[in-house]
Amino acid sequence: MIVLGIETSCDETAAAVVENGRRVRSDVVASQVLVHAEFGGVVPEVASRQHIATIVPVIRHALAEAGATWDDIDGVAVTSGPGLVGALLVGVETAKALGYALDRPVIGVNHLAGHLAAVYLEDPALPAPPPYPHLALLVSGGHTALIRVEGSGRNVLIGATRDDAAGEAFDKVGKMLGLGYPGGVQIDRLAATGNRDAVSLPRALPGREDIDFSFSGLKTAVSTLLARRTAAPAGSDLADLAASVQAAIVDVLVRKSRRALLREGFHDLVVCGGVAANRGLRAAMAAAAAEDGFSLYIPPPKRCTDNAAMIAVAGTHLLARGERSPLDLAVDPGLPL
Ligand code: KG4
Ligand code: ZN
């Protein structure tokens, strides 16, 4: 089964062609990051307009790169939520028009289920996909969640953030430090040369058995610390701050994941979502896996951040079960897991 995936939930216009839910024939992402950077964050109206301008060329590019024709496409999978309403509409309406014109099934995919499915795509760093059931840590700009993945599309939320998502914490602190948007990527880059023990920052651990997250205390701590200074951090001082912030976020993510693995009695952990591209998190999770003896599955960085290959694979699983979306498929900006 060859599926065309379409993703437009936020600020990436993406299309991909995936064969049999595993082989990535093409994976095209047109990032709007430079457009939004001048505003310091994603501007929804600007994102929608950008998607409209980019979606058709991106899909054509994905087909060409896959060496596929319209005729080869067996189904169209598209993100229908959660995300920005105007942005989602561009992808969903395009998918429905294609499905109607080509007489092929269309399937709406939950963006979060897409992140969870990214690990099933073929990659040299992932010799075998994770067995079911497994635990997943989904860390993105909008979500921080521990999920019991019982089967394809059968997900149970067992832990979540009480305030900001991990990616949001990275981005907001990045903004305070005067770094460009998105802050997560800049903090990752700077942290590589900084000292993670330079500044002591809070790790929110409300209750021993707790597997929920909270990052608002970290934000306040950084803002208080900066308010006491007379000059904006720069050079090695800035790198040290970045490394300390990253360590504070990563420590909590690793600690809660370990706790959840123990509590659920699982031996397989998937880490996914944009923040899973973070080098500090990847290294710390690998160290924890070696120490505790669990198997770790993290997609390559480009499949952690938003892409359409992950939507195509999640859609393939649904289509293979005979699921179809009607032509009046609507978007749902607040779609739960
Ligand atoms: O999954 P994603 O691309 O979009 C959402 O579904 O939200 O995640 C975006 C988030 C942003 O907050 C971004 O700063 C963060 O992922 N991110 C990173 C890194 N790359 C992306 N955070 C830390 N380190 C990175 N290397
Ligand atoms: Zn995402």
Side-chain angles (χ1 to χ4, degrees), residues 7 9-10 111-112 115 138 140-143 273-274 304-307 310:
E7 153 65 42
S9 68
C10 190
H111 182 79
L112 307 175
H115 276 303
L138 197 168
S140 69
H143 293 82
C304 291
T305 48
D306 288 349
N307 65 85
M310 69 183 196

Side-chain angles (χ1 to χ4, degrees), residues 12 111 115 139-142 167-168 170-171 182-185 188 273-275 277-279 304-306:
E12 328 276 2
H111 182 79
H115 276 303
V139 271
S140 69
E168 209 176 344
F170 266 112
D171 296 343
V185 178
D188 186 346
V275 178
N278 184 268
R279 287 172 292 169
C304 291
T305 48
D306 288 349

Side-chain angles (χ1 to χ4, degrees), residues 49-289:
R49 288 168 188 265
Q50 256 334 98
H51 285 309
I52 288 172
T54 323
I55 187 77
V56 172
V58 163
I59 291 172
R60 282 190 189 282
H61 189 162
L63 275 185
E65 212 175 279
T69 64
W70 291 116
D71 228 26
D72 298 328
I73 302 300
D74 297 308
V76 183
V78 62
T79 306
S80 57
L84 303 170
V85 64
L88 288 164
L89 275 168
V90 178
V92 166
E93 293 309 311
T94 306
K96 290 194 294 194
L98 279 175
Y100 185 74
L102 301 170
D103 194 21
R104 294 291 192 276
V106 172
I107 187 77
V109 172
N110 185 314
H111 182 79
L112 307 175
H115 276 303
L116 292 172
V119 78
Y120 288 92
L121 292 164
E122 196 171 63
D123 186 83
L126 293 165
Y132 295 118
H134 60 255
L135 181 76
L137 171 72
L138 197 168
V139 271
S140 69
H143 293 82
T144 300
L146 280 163
I147 298 157
R148 197 164 66 222
V149 183
E150 294 175 347
S152 162
R154 289 194 290 126
N155 308 308
V156 181
L157 186 69
I158 59 168
T161 182
R162 294 179 179 179
D163 39 58
D164 290 347
E168 209 176 344
F170 266 112
D171 296 343
K172 286 181 177 168
V173 172
K175 207 167 186 174
M176 289 180 202
L177 295 177
L179 305 173
Y181 174 83
V185 178
Q186 306 298 336
I187 290 179
D188 186 346
R189 181 179 56 80
L190 283 166
T193 60
N195 170 12
R196 55 167 283 154
D197 299 316
V199 185
S200 153
L201 292 167
R203 269 71 167 159
L205 295 165
R208 281 186 148 265
E209 297 311 314
D210 192 85
I211 49 168
D212 284 336
F213 303 87
S214 165
F215 294 104
S216 60
L218 172 68
K219 233 171 38 188
T220 312
V222 174
S223 125
T224 311
L225 186 142
L226 291 174
R228 275 199 230 109
R229 300 195 174 194
T230 47
S236 65
D237 181 32
L238 181 60
D240 287 350
L241 264 169
S244 302
V245 166
Q246 181 168 295
I249 296 173
V250 166
D251 279 0
V252 175
L253 295 176
V254 173
R255 207 175 306 193
K256 301 273 176 157
S257 301
R258 279 174 137 161
R259 195 175 291 171
L261 280 167
L262 269 177
R263 204 181 88 173
E264 299 290 320
F266 284 170
H267 303 284
D268 298 279
L269 176 69
V270 167
V271 185
C272 58
V275 178
N278 184 268
R279 287 172 292 169
L281 179 60
R282 299 174 80 92
M285 282 294 187

